[in-house]
Amino acid sequence: MPVIHTSENDMTRKMVDRVIRVSYLRDVNFLKLIPIPCLFFSLLISCSHESVTDRSVSKATASERAVGERIFSLLNAERVKVGKKALRGHRGLNELAQKQANYLSKNAKNGKASTFGSNNRAYYAKLRFNVENVTELATATSSENTASEASVAWMSSPEHRRTLLQSWSHTGIGVSRGAGGSTYITMLLGVTNTAVPRSVTPVGW
């Protein structure tokens, strides 16, 4: 059985992203409202050298993309069954999810997935993409039928099923295979009413 988690990475992220984020906060006079631990962990994660490898942190292989697309289809089918609108793929959320999945595939131990840092990714998604209420799911599996195994595991868990069937509008899915044989999947869910990049299919891998 896969290990699943619910929510609460890197010098390769261009410095301008952090400058924009900090400048925005200063301009609207929010810095004084942000707890120091939040800023510390945000900088810690964004500056971490552990996720800098010869493989781009935001890219997935063709087979990993295929798994992500399959998970996207399977979970949307479950939503439609109960009268919920199908989720739309979001380029920004896909990038964040893929970075986390890549990080997990290189650093997670014993095939255990984690949503550590999810609050920072949610905060970044709100500032950069105007996607709110971002929730994160993570799972790891060594099954060859990765997409089905992950989808069934999430939908079989009352807590995860309830989360997946809420009224989200957009999602991003990251998939990364680790050297130990486990595949790590990160899924971000959020809501936006603005014209940010979106599609009825997964985009941005």
Side-chain angles (χ1 to χ4, degrees):
M1 283 294 290
V3 180
I4 54 180
H5 293 272
T6 303
S7 59
E8 22 140 71
N9 254 176
D10 71 83
M11 286 182 177
T12 54
R13 164 60 61 188
K14 296 180 180 179
M15 289 295 294
V16 67
D17 286 344
R18 300 203 330 255
V19 172
I20 290 173
R21 182 165 71 250
V22 174
S23 297
Y24 175 87
L25 291 170
R26 184 175 57 247
D27 291 343
V28 295
N29 205 22
F30 278 179
L31 274 177
K32 62 184 179 182
L33 301 177
I34 301 174
I36 294 300
C38 291
L39 290 176
F40 173 77
F41 281 115
S42 180
L43 291 174
L44 178 64
I45 290 172
S46 62
C47 294
S48 173
H49 68 278
E50 292 181 327
S51 57
V52 179
T53 67
D54 56 349
R55 171 184 166 189
S56 172
V57 296
S58 60
K59 299 296 182 181
T61 65
S63 61
E64 289 168 346
R65 289 198 299 271
V67 171
E69 291 166 1
R70 181 60 178 160
I71 292 172
F72 181 86
S73 298
L74 289 171
L75 294 179
N76 262 338
E78 294 296 329
R79 288 175 60 84
V80 171
K81 285 181 183 178
V82 297
K84 293 290 185 179
K85 291 183 178 180
L87 296 167
R88 293 185 176 188
H90 188 284
R91 190 180 303 275
L93 294 183
N94 274 333
E95 182 178 340
L96 290 175
Q98 188 61 46
K99 283 185 178 181
Q100 176 64 4
N102 286 349
Y103 178 83
L104 290 174
S105 72
K106 296 172 181 62
N107 296 281
K109 297 180 180 180
N110 302 318
K112 294 182 178 180
S114 169
T115 58
F116 177 77
S118 59
N119 288 339
N120 295 290
R121 286 183 286 280
Y123 190 60
Y124 183 83
K126 181 176 181 179
L127 289 180
R128 186 66 186 271
F129 309 122
N130 201 24
V131 180
E132 300 184 344
N133 302 321
V134 173
T135 291
E136 183 172 317
L137 305 180
T139 186
T141 177
S142 56
S143 170
E144 293 184 1
N145 196 359
T146 307
S148 177
E149 182 79 9
S151 301
V152 169
W154 277 335
M155 292 304 294
S156 297
S157 162
E159 177 185 354
H160 293 85
R161 178 184 174 85
R162 182 166 57 251
T163 296
L164 287 164
L165 297 181
Q166 289 181 15
S167 297
W168 310 107
S169 61
H170 293 78
T171 189
I173 300 172
V175 179
S176 184
R177 290 192 172 92
S182 293
T183 299
Y184 296 84
I185 300 130
T186 296
M187 183 175 191
L188 300 181
L189 299 148
V191 180
T192 180
N193 293 316
T194 58
V196 295
R198 59 180 184 256
S199 170
V200 294
T201 59
V203 295
W205 283 301

